[in-house]
Structure formats: C-alpha cells, structure tokens
Amino acid sequence: MSDVLWLGLTRDGLDQQLNLRARWPSHQAALDHWAADSATAREAIADKQVLQYGTHRLQTLDLFRPSAGTRPYPLLVFIHGGYWQSLDKGDFSYLAPPFLSAGIAFASLNYRLAPEASLSEICNDVTAALDHLSSRARDLACHDDNFVLVGHSAGGHLVMQEMLRERCSLARGAIERPRTGAVAAISGVYDLEPLRRSYQQMILSIDAREVAELSPLRNAPASAPPVLVAVGDQETPEFLRQQNALVALWQALDLPIRGQKVDGEDHFTVVDLLAQDDHVITRWLIEACLANSRREE
C-alpha cells in the first residue's frame, strides 16, 4: 500500500488534487480565451504602458489608466497564477475594463518564475513591483498607497503573502502604515506543505522554511485590511479545504474576512468573474478601491 502523505491522501491522490490542468482538460480553451480577449482589451485601452521594476526581463508590469475619472486614480493590482511557473501578465488584460470604467487604474504584474526563481524570490518580486508603483505614483497619476490587491491561484497566495509581510513590518515598527488597503484571493493557495509533498516539488523546490514563513494558513496577522477569498464550488477538495481553513482561522481571530463560494465555477473559470462588472466579487473590489480613495482625500 502506498504511504499516506497528506490528510489521508497518497502521493497519487494528492497529485490528482493539485494537477489542475489534468483534472480539467478544457483548460486550454480557458488559456486561449484569456490570451485572445486580453489582446482585444489592450487594443481598446488608450492609456497603457509597460513598466520595468527590476533588471530581469520578467520584472515588468502593465499599467492601464481610465480615460475619465478623478486623478490621482485608485489602483487595483492583479497578480496572475500558474503555480508560480507559468502564465503572463498579458494574459489577464481582459479583466481591466470594469475597473477602468469605474475610474480605477489597473496594474497586472509579472514576476520571475520557478524553477529559475524560488518562492521567496518571487514574493520579493511582488514587493519590489509595489515599491516601484509607490515611488512613481505621482507621475503615474495613482495614489501612492492603499492599493487593492487581487490574485488568482498562485497569485492568490502572493497577494495574501504580501499583505502579511506588510502587517509583520507594521508590527515591528519597520513601516508607519501598510499600503495595502484590501485584498481578494481567488482560488488561492494558502498552505505550501501539500505542494512540497506533491509532483510540483520537482519544479518549485519548496523548503521547510518557506512552508513555515510563506504559508498564509500558518501566519495570521494581528490586524488586517478587509479580505475576500473566493473559490468555485467545482474546485478540488484540497483547494476548498484551504479556503475553508483560512476563513475559519481568521474568523476565530476576529479578523476581517469574507469567504465566497461560487456555484458552477472551477479553477479556470472562476477568474472570469472579475471581467463581469456586476458580479459581487467585482463590485467588492471596486468599492474597496473607491473607499480607499475617499480615505485619502
């Protein structure tokens, strides 16, 4: 009998829950539509630029600004998924239009990918990108703090981890105030240990320190901005478990979290909801951006 590695699962069982492309062979249609719809969106957006926040070719971000609205603009920052090893900022330009229409600037980040970069280095890239946006906020016509972060899959992990890093720095007195005003994680990864035990370890090379320090489920803050975590109800049991565990942990600590389970959506379709200007998740993000903007006035 195969050894049990994680919560009653053998290696094969764990791999089946984490191998999302194998679980949904239709994923290629999703990837194709992300790329095609994003190319169309970029053509239609007049005010756009690519910014370099580091020396590596992947240390770049796309910034889209509204054609109308009040400057400086509130800023929504999107971080893509791909298990920290694939996909690109340009695959998600199609999510920008609802936010631009609401007078909100939209940034989509790239970061170095595994196996070239470790998870620690990837987290550092997110911090560096936000540092760059903060330092250039005035000439970019954006607020210099109170960013709203949203990420999908591995990006969900990265936005939560960035918020936790800021809160840890705040608690140590290293910063006066955090710049992240709200966070939304869509089908996020909140515990790295099952990844370390799975087939993904061949690429990710996660070590025990990273599991302890970079798993949001293992590092609750003393205080936090509003957080929304969402997952499709067709998601794998491990992704559902991680979302439920994070919500339960934060609620027990009286931290501000909202859990959202979305009917009929899987790991690849759930992110499309952000392109719908009337969806509850999109409305939550828009209101979070505008609320942060009002607090700065």
Side-chain angles (χ1 to χ4, degrees):
M1 178 180 292
S2 299
D3 291 338
V4 171
L5 291 182
W6 180 252
L7 299 180
L9 295 172
T10 63
R11 169 65 180 267
D12 286 346
L14 181 58
D15 287 353
Q16 288 171 18
Q17 292 206 24
L18 296 177
N19 191 338
L20 305 174
R21 296 192 182 194
R23 189 178 186 95
W24 288 291
S26 59
H27 72 271
Q28 189 59 52
L31 302 184
D32 291 345
H33 114 68
W34 294 346
D37 289 0
S38 290
T40 300
R42 285 192 298 275
E43 284 292 320
I45 297 171
D47 191 345
K48 55 183 178 283
Q49 61 187 121
V50 179
L51 304 177
Q52 187 92 28
Y53 65 84
T55 58
H56 191 278
R57 62 181 178 80
L58 289 177
Q59 290 174 320
T60 60
L61 63 93
D62 291 336
L63 179 66
F64 305 117
R65 288 177 296 203
S67 57
T70 303
R71 296 186 175 211
Y73 302 117
L75 178 63
L76 180 73
V77 179
F78 177 84
I79 303 181
H80 71 78
Y83 270 146
W84 308 273
Q85 60 195 269
S86 66
L87 301 180
D88 184 84
K89 61 181 174 53
D91 294 325
F92 296 93
S93 308
Y94 78 103
L95 302 178
F99 303 99
L100 300 178
S101 295
I104 298 164
F106 183 97
S108 182
L109 304 190
N110 262 354
Y111 46 85
R112 289 171 293 170
L113 299 173
E116 180 181 2
S118 68
L119 260 66
S120 296
E121 291 170 327
I122 290 169
C123 290
N124 289 342
D125 279 1
V126 173
T127 300
L130 296 181
D131 285 345
H132 185 81
L133 286 168
S134 290
S135 67
R136 292 197 55 197
R138 180 167 296 185
D139 66 276
L140 295 174
C142 295
H143 288 300
D144 64 355
D145 59 9
N146 275 332
F147 299 161
V148 174
L149 309 183
V150 56
H152 172 236
S153 192
H157 164 267
L158 292 170
V159 296
M160 288 294 294
Q161 189 57 36
E162 176 62 20
M163 179 272 294
L164 291 170
R165 185 202 63 79
E166 288 185 359
R167 291 289 159 159
C168 180
S169 296
L170 182 68
R172 297 197 317 268
I175 59 173
E176 292 184 4
R177 62 172 179 165
R179 66 183 153 215
T180 300
V183 174
I186 315 298
S187 281
V189 178
Y190 310 119
D191 191 347
L192 297 177
E193 183 62 20
L195 276 293
R196 191 172 75 91
R197 295 171 180 255
S198 78
Y199 76 103
Q200 288 286 351
Q201 180 66 354
M202 293 181 63
I203 298 295
L204 298 176
S205 299
I206 303 168
D207 61 33
R209 179 195 60 81
E210 288 175 321
V211 170
E213 296 180 1
L214 304 181
S215 293
L217 258 173
R218 297 166 186 253
N219 296 284
S223 65
V227 169
L228 181 149
V229 289
V231 67
D233 70 344
Q234 301 302 303
E235 187 59 88
T236 69
E238 177 59 21
F239 274 81
L240 292 169
R241 183 199 70 80
Q242 291 200 18
Q243 158 127 340
N244 292 339
L246 186 71
V247 171
L249 173 65
W250 278 47
Q251 288 178 340
L253 296 172
D254 200 26
L255 292 168
I257 194 165
R258 172 177 175 175
Q260 188 91 31
K261 186 179 291 185
V262 188
D263 292 343
E265 305 295 342
D266 64 38
H267 193 83
F268 293 94
T269 63
V270 68
V271 68
D272 288 343
L273 301 177
L274 298 180
Q276 301 176 15
D277 57 11
D278 59 347
H279 194 274
V280 62
I281 300 174
T282 310
R283 298 310 309 172
W284 188 92
L285 286 164
I286 289 173
E287 180 52 37
C289 290
L290 298 180
N292 285 333
S293 177
R294 289 192 291 269
R295 280 195 289 271
E296 289 199 348
E297 293 174 353

